[in-house]
Amino acid sequence: QDMATLIADRVALDGQNRLIAEGSVEIFHQGRRLRASRILYDRSSDRLLIEGPIVLTEGSGTLVVADQADLAADLTEGVLQSARLVLNRQLQLAASEMQRIGGRYTALGRTVVSSCQICAQNPTPLWEIRAQRVIHDELERQIYFDRAQLRIAGVPVFWIPHLRMPDPTLNRARGFLRPSLITTSELGTGVKIPYFIPIGENRDLTVTPFLATRSAQSLDLRYRQAFRSGQIEIAGSLARDRILPGETRGQITASGVFMLPRDFLLTFRGEAVSDPAYLLDYDISSKDRLDSQIEVMRTRRGEYISARLVHFNSIREGDVNSTLPSVVTDMTWERRFSPRGLGGTAGLRFQTHSHFRSSDSTDDSNGDGISDGRDMGRASVSLDWRRNWVLGGGILASALTEISADFYRTRQDPAFPGSSTRAAGGVALELRWPWMRQGADGAMHVIEPVAQLIWSPKTGRVVPIEDSALVEFDEGNLFSFSRFPGADAVERGPRANVGIGYTRHDPSGWSLGVTVGRVFRTSSSDPDPFGPASGLAGRNSDWLAAFRMSRNDGLALTHRLVFNDDLRMSKAEMRLDLQRQDYGIAASYLWMLPDALEMRDTRVSELVFEGSYRLTPNWLGQFNTRYDFEADRAASAGVLFEFRNECMKIDLSLSRRFTTSNAIRPSTRFGLSVDLLGFGGSALPGPSRSCRG
Amino acid sequence: QGAQIDFGGMQQDTSLPVEVTADQLSVDQANGSATFSGNVLVGQGEMRLSAAEVQVEYTEGGGGIERLHATGGVTLANATDAAEAQEAVYTIASGEVVMTGNVLLTQGPNAISGQRLVINLTTGSGVMEGRVQTVFQPGASRN
Amino acid sequence: CGFAPAYGPGGPGLKLQNAVLADAPRDGFGFNLVKRLEERLGPAQAARYGLSYEIGLKSTGVAITTDNAITRYNLNGVVDWTLRDLGTDTQLAAGRAESFTSHSATGSTVAGLAAEGDAQRRLMRILADQIVTQLLATSGSWSAE
């Protein structure tokens, strides 16, 4: 179908094989559409002489605006006068004359290229590229500049003999990505210029050199590959600087995910670094324990299988890797089902765990109560069952039971030579009595008292404890059989978990949730397996109070307190999230007692605050800080200003990290990056400047 | 793919004799006009005009035809072109044909539609008006 | 005072018991969410309602010491859930559950790893309990009969 359609208010045929169309003339041909005020179509020469204002739109979103033109009848060839080529409704190329060649190339004479809004009263755009000649290749979606000159606010800044840039619709084009200028107190001032190289359809490589004044050079490489059943990404960097003169420093991280047959999934993540301070010096990450991991897992309804191998390399001050478990394996196979006859829900779980410390010594140099070289293997099987009944008066009663058997084998630990086994378990009755009321304003109020009476033997065999030291007490384990995070330690003895929850639920307005609870035991145990910070020590636990409020206009507040009878805090945590149209706050506060069992000898009192405020439609300011009240100084603080309009994005950031250790020093970091919007796959444009008057 | 198609090729020597054939003819002596009705066919040289009804107005002395007024769906055609409309008025002396009402002019593969078409048979030029739409074959002249 | 027992005669609790089938989990988080939902609502038998859920998680380091050790992590969780009638597949209710749990990272790496896993399980229990309460609270508008 290569017929062209012409529509006009008036068409005259002059007998010499010429057709003159006038009055809002339009021509449609193979997805191209041309609008003009007057067109003379000369059949013998098959040319269209067109008078503007001309608007030619291509199928691909390309738009040409011109005053007059002399084109071939199928609109693929010809010259347009005082024309503007607009790509992706964003990037404009304006020239006195524009030539269309073979329906693919558009060649422009002296051209001004910009994606900025140009207003009548001040025509100089924020940035523009002037060139003697510009060619746009519609097929390859590239723009070629000859003798180009970059101007910022009209001032020539940069001159390039030949330049090639991807047009806005092209995402995977070889070329330079956004450059950034970075100044840090350690490395001096330098420029980072990433260069992206696509390799075939499913692979790419990004090379980012960084040259800085204090003779610091680094080279970042990132390689990505997609397979039919998965993908991998490998990122690494090498550097030489004055921080560790004469040394080649660097890091590498690799990650990947693959679909295996029968719904299994393989994921891996690897990290390695040359020295502890490298990741912070080059602002790569703030991790202080590098965990490389490979895991195969499958999750189906009622079945969870996971097998993983984890390698730890701690770069934390004071950690000695040889006395910490560096190689860990975990295997879990859990089935959940509803047993016929018994009803309710049941779970059967097989689990193995092992970890290895490279040290072979049996003394305890780091004072964590574990022999320095202890290696351990564990195999466990556990069964749980629970069934609910509705009693009269609306009481929901549940019978619960959990039994487990664990087999341990340790090496290099005089306290637990050879192997040991242990069985544990308990039965429980849970009573819930929720009451509901519809408020006058439509909000639902739910009050739910809960009591759980647990019986389990008071004594049991002692096994090596490694994974149960860091105990938490919150609504998630107030009604749990055992609040220890791992399998090594189990809660023993008869106890009652009692709590009451109140919820006000109004999805269109605001909702509120309060939970208060406590654990009552018949007697305290000696030695007490719980530390002071956990809130679970002593005969009865501390009070747990959790408060949650959320509103559908972007507010979410969660507050959790653990305190004893005379209101002395063991732990307090708060998180506030407020995201509004023009401003946002994300704040969290943490207060915790020191706890020898958790190897934490100082109190923690830390505020993390992140606020953003839209200063103007184009300027966004962000401020973040982490303040350590205990050390009475900020751990880090930073401010970021982002300017974004329809054609440019500028990021200005200033941040300082105050933390120090043998390996790291406090450092200040200033970053500036400029992104000219409108070229290949660049960032999304912001609100454009409005032309006043 | 077709000979050189000449736009507006509706040229015609308007001095040639005009024959009119129809099923019925009624004459009005008072104003000297005659009304042919039923499959009316008007011929002049190579040009043919057919219509449901054609009213013929003769010149002052009754010697020749001054004007033809065709209604009820008109088709005007010659060897290469054809034009259809609801009504047409052909003034012999000036050689001007004014066709109105869903006009469709076809010339080989090209077709032009509109509301009003004025053709000058002596010069072969034509002007179509009223949201004109035409379909044409770009590049036809090259092959 | 207008309060009525949720599991009393004709109460919403009875309509929910053994009547909700949660979508099959795709990862460990979903597995623990569904585990707690089935504990609270009973295993689905001839379920009338289908519950689908979208889990969002974000872990942030807190309690950073003066020598830059990250000694604790906050795990923030959000679950957007929708309830549909399994017979007519029409959506009956929707909501969002949101909370956070924390885990320390001091001492042994194995202790840190176990604490992280426990924090994930606790978070899913809290979010599942919130969903059950929201189902009870909104049941007036969808459990018609």
Side-chain angles (χ1 to χ4, degrees):
Chain A
Q1 195 280 344
D2 57 6
M3 296 296 281
T5 308
L6 180 144
I7 300 179
D9 289 345
R10 188 170 175 281
V11 170
L13 315 167
D14 71 353
Q16 275 91 34
N17 212 350
R18 294 193 313 175
L19 177 147
I20 300 116
E22 285 163 334
S24 61
V25 185
E26 287 186 57
I27 296 185
F28 299 89
H29 179 57
Q30 288 177 341
R32 285 191 193 88
R33 174 177 173 207
L34 184 136
R35 288 198 303 272
S37 60
R38 185 175 184 279
I39 290 182
L40 186 141
Y41 174 43
D42 182 337
R43 285 302 311 273
S44 49
S45 68
D46 194 42
R47 301 294 295 180
L48 297 170
L49 300 176
I50 307 164
E51 279 163 33
I54 299 173
V55 178
L56 169 62
T57 47
E58 302 270 343
S60 62
T62 308
L63 173 78
V64 177
V65 175
D67 285 354
Q68 44 177 290
D70 170 353
L71 295 177
D74 58 9
L75 308 176
T76 59
E77 293 283 333
V79 178
L80 300 97
Q81 307 302 334
S82 68
R84 237 169 355 109
L85 173 66
V86 181
L87 301 175
N88 204 23
R89 280 183 294 285
Q90 195 180 10
L91 186 67
Q92 296 183 49
L93 300 88
S96 53
E97 189 176 274
M98 176 190 296
Q99 199 175 5
R100 287 190 50 75
I101 305 152
R104 170 177 171 180
Y105 298 102
T106 305
L108 302 99
R110 276 179 354 85
T111 317
V112 176
V113 177
S114 174
S115 58
C116 298
Q117 175 92 314
I118 299 169
C119 293
Q121 66 272 31
N122 46 18
T124 44
L126 191 52
W127 64 265
E128 62 190 298
I129 301 176
R130 289 178 179 261
Q132 289 305 324
R133 211 164 78 97
V134 171
I135 294 180
H136 173 243
D137 177 347
E138 208 169 295
L139 190 64
E140 291 300 323
R141 294 192 283 178
Q142 298 287 356
I143 306 172
Y144 302 87
F145 299 80
D146 279 353
R147 288 187 300 287
Q149 182 194 75
L150 173 66
R151 293 189 178 190
I152 304 284
V155 174
V157 166
F158 201 60
W159 187 86
I160 318 147
H162 298 290
L163 172 69
R164 178 190 54 76
M165 302 274 268
D167 94 13
T169 61
L170 192 63
N171 290 329
R172 268 183 102 241
R174 163 198 290 264
F176 289 101
L177 300 180
R178 180 172 76 145
S180 46
L181 175 88
I182 295 166
T183 304
T184 70
S185 46
E186 304 299 315
L187 305 170
T189 302
V191 180
K192 253 188 179 177
I193 309 164
Y195 188 78
F196 178 78
I197 307 167
I199 307 163
E201 279 311 307
N202 61 346
R203 290 175 300 178
D204 61 53
L205 178 69
T206 309
V207 181
T208 310
F210 170 64
L211 306 168
T213 50
R214 298 176 63 168
S215 70
Q217 308 107 7
S218 92
L219 181 66
D220 291 359
L221 293 166
R222 184 194 67 181
Y223 173 77
R224 295 187 302 181
Q225 179 161 359
F227 302 84
R228 215 162 11 85
S229 63
Q231 61 191 28
I232 60 167
E233 172 167 341
I234 302 167
S237 60
L238 290 170
R240 292 185 77 92
D241 52 39
R242 281 207 192 124
I243 302 171
L244 295 177
E247 265 188 55
T248 303
R249 311 172 66 191
Q251 58 90 21
I252 185 160
T253 59
S255 64
V257 57
F258 287 91
M259 318 279 286
L260 300 178
R262 295 159 55 104
D263 296 339
F264 278 95
L265 193 70
L266 168 75
T267 56
F268 71 88
R269 185 183 73 237
E271 290 165 334
V273 73
S274 62
D275 60 278
Y278 182 78
L279 295 177
L280 280 175
D281 286 344
Y282 287 82
D283 195 28
I284 294 167
S285 108
S286 56
K287 279 184 93 162
D288 61 349
R289 279 184 167 174
L290 306 184
D291 52 346
S292 304
Q293 168 173 320
I294 182 163
E295 178 176 20
V296 174
M297 62 173 278
R298 174 169 80 183
T299 308
R300 287 182 176 161
R301 181 180 292 285
E303 182 193 60
Y304 174 72
I305 300 173
S306 160
R308 70 175 175 192
L309 169 70
V310 186
H311 176 266
F312 282 100
N313 170 22
S314 174
I315 53 174
R316 180 186 294 181
E317 179 79 12
D319 270 0
V320 177
N321 271 308
S322 62
T323 66
L324 285 172
S326 52
V327 178
V328 178
T329 68
D330 280 314
M331 207 288 296
T332 304
W333 178 82
E334 182 167 358
R335 289 275 289 130
R336 298 210 62 76
F337 52 94
S338 177
R340 272 185 307 285
L342 270 177
T345 64
L348 175 65
R349 184 173 60 190
F350 295 100
Q351 196 176 50
T352 68
H353 165 81
S354 76
H355 58 260
F356 165 77
R357 287 180 169 87
S358 53
S359 149
D360 291 331
S361 102
T362 55
D363 45 31
D364 177 10
S365 57
N366 54 17
D368 62 3
I370 300 169
S371 103
D372 283 353
R374 181 165 83 181
D375 310 331
M376 178 203 278
R378 168 176 61 87
S380 307
V381 61
S382 69
L383 182 70
D384 65 271
W385 174 77
R386 171 190 176 122
R387 173 157 181 186
N388 305 337
W389 288 273
V390 179
L391 310 182
I395 295 176
L396 183 68
S398 312
L400 304 97
T401 178
E402 260 189 44
I403 49 174
S404 63
D406 307 290
F407 169 77
Y408 286 82
R409 173 180 291 283
T410 52
R411 281 194 324 210
Q412 285 137 19
D413 183 357
F416 293 94
S419 62
S420 43
T421 59
R422 180 220 26 224
V427 288
L429 170 67
E430 182 182 283
L431 298 172
R432 280 176 182 274
W433 202 6
W435 294 70
M436 290 172 52
R437 180 174 76 88
Q438 175 111 28
D441 53 12
M444 282 303 289
H445 302 266
V446 181
I447 292 180
E448 186 177 37
V450 184
Q452 199 181 49
L453 309 172
I454 299 178
W455 183 86
S456 69
K458 234 180 123 33
T459 59
R461 194 131 345 123
V462 177
V463 291
I465 293 186
E466 175 89 35
D467 65 10
S468 301
L470 304 168
V471 188
E472 293 296 324
F473 185 29
D474 57 29
E475 319 91 282
N477 62 10
L478 171 60
F479 299 109
S480 293
F481 251 91
S482 168
R483 276 172 273 272
F484 288 105
D488 298 347
V490 284
E491 282 201 57
R492 295 184 191 285
R495 54 200 181 272
N497 304 324
V498 180
I500 184 161
Y502 162 70
T503 303
R504 177 194 195 276
H505 183 65
D506 175 6
S508 57
W510 54 280
S511 299
L512 177 75
V514 180
T515 307
V516 176
R518 191 173 195 179
V519 180
F520 297 93
R521 301 190 185 94
T522 52
S523 65
S524 62
S525 44
D526 185 22
D528 196 328
F530 298 108
S534 72
L536 292 159
R539 177 163 170 229
N540 297 332
S541 77
D542 285 357
W543 287 96
L544 162 70
F547 169 85
R548 187 181 59 77
M549 191 177 115
S550 63
R551 267 210 315 238
N552 56 12
D553 61 0
L555 170 75
L557 171 70
T558 310
H559 198 19
R560 195 170 287 137
L561 299 167
V562 178
F563 53 91
N564 64 12
D565 281 327
D566 38 40
L567 297 182
R568 197 177 51 75
M569 290 291 174
S570 312
K571 191 178 293 180
E573 287 180 294
M574 189 207 77
R575 273 197 71 77
L576 169 68
D577 268 298
L578 178 62
Q579 297 308 329
R580 288 278 164 67
Q581 178 73 11
D582 287 340
Y583 60 91
I585 292 171
S588 73
Y589 175 72
L590 167 65
W591 190 92
M592 244 176 2
L593 279 181
D595 190 326
L597 280 180
E598 295 185 359
M599 301 280 290
R600 190 174 53 253
D601 41 25
T602 58
R603 206 172 37 188
V604 174
S605 172
E606 182 198 66
L607 169 73
V608 178
F609 177 86
E610 196 179 303
S612 66
Y613 184 72
R614 184 157 295 287
L615 308 160
T616 72
N618 297 109
W619 278 101
L620 178 73
Q622 263 174 0
F623 169 74
N624 62 69
T625 184
R626 181 184 299 277
Y627 195 83
D628 184 341
F629 290 103
E630 207 51 36
D632 199 12
R633 63 178 182 147
S636 68
V639 63
L640 166 77
F641 290 101
E642 184 200 272
F643 171 83
R644 187 200 294 251
N645 68 1
E646 78 284 0
C647 64
M648 188 178 251
K649 177 170 182 290
I650 303 172
D651 285 331
L652 269 161
S653 63
L654 179 65
S655 60
R656 171 141 176 89
R657 178 175 49 74
F658 299 91
T659 52
T660 62
S661 75
N662 303 348
I664 53 174
R665 270 158 309 289
S667 91
T668 306
R669 181 184 170 80
F670 166 78
L672 163 69
S673 72
V674 177
D675 202 349
L676 303 186
L677 305 185
F679 294 106
S682 48
L684 289 175
S688 71
R689 172 173 78 156
S690 54
C691 297
R692 270 167 298 282
Chain B
Q1 185 260 358
Q4 168 66 30
I5 303 296
D6 203 348
F7 259 124
M10 294 291 251
Q11 233 146 359
Q12 175 55 49
D13 177 357
T14 57
S15 63
L16 294 175
V18 175
E19 300 116 17
V20 183
T21 59
D23 298 346
Q24 290 105 21
L25 164 66
S26 64
V27 178
D28 176 348
Q29 295 298 349
N31 58 18
S33 69
T35 306
F36 296 84
S37 51
N39 304 318
V40 185
L41 184 61
V42 178
Q44 187 181 40
E46 280 179 7
M47 192 182 70
R48 292 292 173 274
L49 188 148
S50 63
E53 189 184 279
V54 172
Q55 193 186 1
V56 177
E57 289 162 19
Y58 293 93
T59 53
E60 225 30 65
I65 299 174
E66 191 186 338
R67 226 154 47 98
L68 300 172
H69 187 119
T71 55
V74 179
T75 307
L76 179 69
N78 67 3
T80 58
D81 308 337
E84 295 160 15
Q86 278 153 9
E87 268 186 49
V89 174
Y90 176 19
T91 314
I92 307 289
S94 66
E96 182 183 75
V97 181
V98 177
M99 304 182 78
T100 51
N102 295 338
V103 184
L104 178 64
L105 170 65
T106 50
Q107 299 166 328
N110 308 321
I112 304 179
S113 64
Q115 288 315 314
R116 185 170 185 276
L117 172 63
V118 176
I119 299 177
N120 184 320
L121 293 175
T122 47
T123 65
S125 70
V127 175
M128 180 84 81
E129 284 165 347
R131 220 43 204 155
V132 180
Q133 175 153 354
T134 175
V135 176
F136 62 94
Q137 172 73 47
S141 65
R142 277 191 300 281
N143 52 24
Chain C
C1 60
F3 273 93
Y7 287 86
L14 297 179
K15 297 194 189 73
L16 283 173
Q17 266 326 77
N18 303 97
V20 178
L21 177 68
D23 286 358
R26 292 189 304 273
D27 54 25
F29 304 107
F31 184 80
N32 284 308
L33 186 78
V34 171
K35 175 178 170 179
R36 179 62 179 172
L37 287 169
E38 280 175 358
E39 278 176 7
R40 289 290 309 274
L41 301 171
Q45 291 149 353
R48 291 215 34 224
Y49 308 110
L51 180 74
S52 42
Y53 48 86
E54 199 62 43
I55 301 173
L57 294 165
K58 181 164 165 293
S59 177
T60 46
V62 289
I64 293 186
T65 63
T66 53
D67 52 14
N68 216 65
I70 305 172
T71 62
R72 194 171 173 81
Y73 290 90
N74 278 357
L75 184 61
N76 309 303
V78 173
V79 177
D80 287 318
W81 58 269
T82 54
L83 191 78
R84 64 189 184 285
D85 183 309
L86 282 177
T88 61
D89 212 29
T90 53
Q91 179 171 324
L92 302 170
R96 160 174 284 211
E98 194 167 357
S99 187
F100 80 95
T101 55
S102 313
H103 56 94
S104 286
T106 49
S108 147
T109 51
V110 163
L113 207 55
E116 179 184 19
D118 188 55
Q120 289 164 354
R121 283 188 295 275
R122 289 198 323 271
L123 180 62
M124 288 304 131
R125 276 174 69 104
I126 294 173
L127 296 174
D129 286 345
Q130 269 184 33
I131 292 175
V132 170
T133 306
Q134 287 175 7
L135 285 176
L136 287 174
T138 58
S139 61
S141 63
W142 46 263
S143 63
E145 91 286 13

